[in-house]
Amino acid sequence: MRGGALALAVALLAGCDDGEPASTLGDPDRGRTVIARYECGACHRIPGIAGARGKVGPPLAGFGRRAMIAGTLPNRPDALLPWLRDPPAQVAGTAMPALGLTEREAGDVAAYLYTLR
Ligand code: HEC
């Protein structure tokens, strides 16, 4: 009996993540810290990040509802993560430099960016 209850609990927990890719990417709160540490705000306006008023890149308000990344990549996690880690490798000639984010940092940053709707 106990095994059955456990299996049910696991199934219910797993069900919570269905259709919610942002929640499996990383931790949005950690993402906010990563964004501050890498000073993304030097180039971007980013809601919720103190002092993020840069104008080199596009403002990131509403990013979660945007269709494209850099006008060329589909705005999906499988394109956003590589973009965050190494933009010039994804879009030749882009002005956004690779900043050296780890895979985990990119996931946390992506989770935060997808809260911007
Ligand atoms: C030196 C300036 C600079 C820094 C620092 C920078 N970016 Fe960018 N970013 C850009 C530019 C320029 C673009 C536009 C790229 C293009 O369209 O080719 C861009 C584009 C983006 C996009 C795509 C936006 C869109 O709507 O197409 C995201 C997301 C993004 N940056 C996130 C970040 C994050 C997160 C950081 C920090 C880890 C960061 N950027 C740091 C300059 C920068």
Side-chain angles (χ1 to χ4, degrees):
M1 263 340 270
R2 292 192 55 186
L6 180 63
L8 179 62
V10 168
L12 287 173
L13 282 173
C16 290
D17 276 344
D18 279 353
E20 193 55 78
S23 68
T24 60
L25 284 170
D27 177 348
D29 288 332
R30 269 200 321 257
R32 192 189 287 129
T33 311
V34 172
I35 287 172
R37 183 150 31 91
Y38 282 93
E39 299 185 344
C40 313
C43 290
H44 293 282
R45 284 185 169 272
I46 314 173
I49 308 295
R53 283 193 283 272
K55 294 197 176 109
V56 180
L60 298 182
F63 181 75
R65 282 187 282 119
R66 220 165 284 172
M68 307 297 279
I69 301 166
T72 53
L73 305 170
N75 187 5
R76 293 195 314 249
D78 60 342
L80 180 59
L81 290 175
W83 165 263
L84 290 172
R85 298 196 63 196
D86 192 353
Q90 310 303 319
V91 177
T94 182
M96 176 159 156
L99 297 169
L101 273 69
T102 66
E103 192 172 347
R104 177 173 167 167
E105 286 171 335
D108 291 339
V109 168
Y112 181 72
L113 293 179
Y114 282 138
T115 69
L116 305 176
R117 302 191 67 84

